[in-house]
Amino acid sequence: MGSPDGEENIVVVDITEIYVHWYAGRSKSELAASLGVDRKTVGEYLAPAEAAGETDWSKPIKE
């Protein structure tokens, strides 16, 4: 979405914020809506964690 002066507005999302909410059990759609980004963008950031098997939020995060 453009601004009145024709410049592009950019939304900056802290990746940590995505992971905090994801580990709290929120869906990608909920994250995207809450943070104002596309669901596919959230999926791109979460893909490495999902590939590593980080999907059980009842366990501590692996270091």
Side-chain angles (χ1 to χ4, degrees), residues 26-44:
R26 296 179 75 186
S27 71
K28 292 176 189 174
S29 295
E30 289 174 318
L31 283 168
S34 174
L35 299 173
V37 297
D38 190 88
R39 186 180 51 80
K40 290 180 184 179
T41 302
V42 172
E44 289 174 13

Side-chain angles (χ1 to χ4, degrees), residues 12-34:
V12 178
V13 176
D14 185 355
I15 297 171
T16 305
E17 190 76 14
I18 291 174
Y19 278 97
V20 166
H21 288 282
W22 187 59
Y23 278 110
R26 296 179 75 186
S27 71
K28 292 176 189 174
S29 295
E30 289 174 318
L31 283 168
S34 174

